[in-house]
Amino acid sequence: MLSSDTITAIADELAQAEKDRTTVPLLTGRYPDMTIEDSYAVQNQWRRRGIESGRRPVGRKIGLTSKVMQAATGITEPDYGAIFADMVYENGSVIEHSMFSNVRIEVELAFVLGKALTGPDVTVFDVMDATAYVVPALEILSSRIDMQGRTIVDTISDNAAMGAMVYGGNPVKPHDVDLRWVSALLYRNETIEESGVAAAVLNHPATGVAWLANKLAAHGDALTPGEMILAGSFTRPMWVEAGDSVLCDYGPMGTVTCRFN
């Protein structure tokens, strides 16, 4: 593994890139022996630094859980990242595009937990029992590392490319709708760009949450009541520019909208 000093230096570099809205060269190009465990150590250090500076953790994101996302990135296993309160936007928000780098939108469901989930043996049934409600959400991706040639090690270190999220629509109890068949139509500037069904996320979006709880257990962590978990995208990422408006129609679960200026 990388030394603790190197891990701290990388975390500081990424924090500065987030602050400056810039990108840094590939970590795997500079540290060819860097492992997935190293990358989670970088992310955890970055997260701790955020908490120490006053940022409030409110949840987690899961990435790369669907075949379309894995195909879009060339990465073949899921990952996770942290969500702070200052990353969460309400439905209809106007968002400053320049706050992020390489800005893309993903279509997701967010699970809001009413009970703790502690691995290593969490199942889909445990997730359904622990979930207070599920709400439509959009994830805003922001890559602080050069995108060309990146690997999962780069992405995990970069907080799984988490930039922000927008939630809205109609919150539902997890047993009140067949979550596998939740569908969504994603529009940019009144033109449909993507569509998908939530079963694309590991055959059931709750499976992603179970994977996360078990993965966190391996890192000495767990999911706590009140946390909001982005379960993974079931469409390809959609690029957005300043001036774009975004609307995602989840049918009976309502719509989520935002605009970038």
Side-chain angles (χ1 to χ4, degrees):
M1 290 184 66
L2 298 179
S3 69
S4 59
D5 287 345
T6 301
I7 286 170
T8 298
I10 295 171
D12 289 344
E13 182 183 13
L14 291 170
Q16 191 63 45
E18 181 186 27
K19 181 179 178 181
D20 296 340
R21 322 302 181 200
T22 57
T23 59
V24 303
L26 288 174
L27 298 179
T28 45
R30 292 179 283 157
Y31 307 99
D33 296 327
M34 190 173 181
T35 66
I36 287 179
E37 290 305 310
D38 288 327
S39 62
Y40 277 119
V42 168
Q43 184 190 126
N44 289 338
Q45 178 75 338
W46 173 86
R47 183 172 180 262
R48 283 195 296 270
R49 293 292 183 90
I51 293 171
E52 289 168 0
S53 69
R55 300 181 81 178
R56 180 169 61 87
V58 296
R60 308 275 186 162
K61 67 148 287 185
I62 311 166
L64 307 175
T65 52
S66 66
K67 292 296 185 182
V68 291
M69 282 305 302
Q70 291 177 0
T73 60
I75 298 169
T76 57
E77 61 182 290
D79 63 3
Y80 69 82
I83 303 174
F84 289 116
D86 57 15
M87 295 176 169
V88 181
Y89 291 87
E90 294 183 355
N91 205 4
S93 291
V94 178
I95 300 169
E96 189 67 41
H97 186 273
S98 62
M99 291 176 60
F100 309 103
S101 304
N102 299 300
V103 190
R104 290 144 291 150
I105 290 285
E106 292 181 350
V107 172
E108 314 212 5
L109 292 175
F111 286 66
V112 181
L113 299 182
K115 301 177 184 177
L117 286 170
T118 304
D121 300 313
V122 172
T123 67
V124 168
F125 308 109
D126 297 321
V127 173
M128 296 291 281
D129 179 65
T131 300
Y133 53 90
V134 180
V135 63
L138 299 174
E139 181 179 356
I140 301 170
L141 295 179
S142 179
S143 295
R144 278 76 50 167
I145 296 176
D146 291 345
M147 296 185 63
Q148 187 65 37
R150 65 184 173 153
T151 71
I152 193 168
V153 169
D154 298 288
T155 303
I156 292 169
S157 301
D158 191 25
N159 195 36
M162 176 68 186
M165 63 171 287
V166 185
Y167 70 92
N170 179 30
V172 298
K173 297 289 185 182
H175 294 287
D176 288 349
V177 62
D178 186 345
L179 294 175
R180 295 181 67 248
W181 284 102
V182 172
S183 59
L185 308 173
L186 181 62
Y187 294 80
R188 178 179 57 205
N189 302 328
E190 291 77 50
T191 300
I192 189 167
E193 298 283 352
E194 296 288 343
S195 63
V197 179
V201 178
L202 300 172
N203 198 45
H204 194 296
T207 305
V209 182
W211 172 87
L212 174 61
N214 293 328
K215 188 74 171 180
L216 286 173
H219 296 153
D221 204 351
L223 298 173
T224 58
E227 285 200 76
M228 184 181 298
I229 313 299
L230 284 174
S233 181
F234 47 98
T235 65
R236 294 176 299 178
M238 179 182 76
W239 287 87
V240 290
E241 304 293 342
D244 284 346
S245 61
V246 175
L247 180 146
C248 193
D249 184 353
Y250 288 77
M253 290 186 70
T255 61
V256 183
T257 66
C258 63
R259 180 168 60 85
F260 292 87
N261 65 9

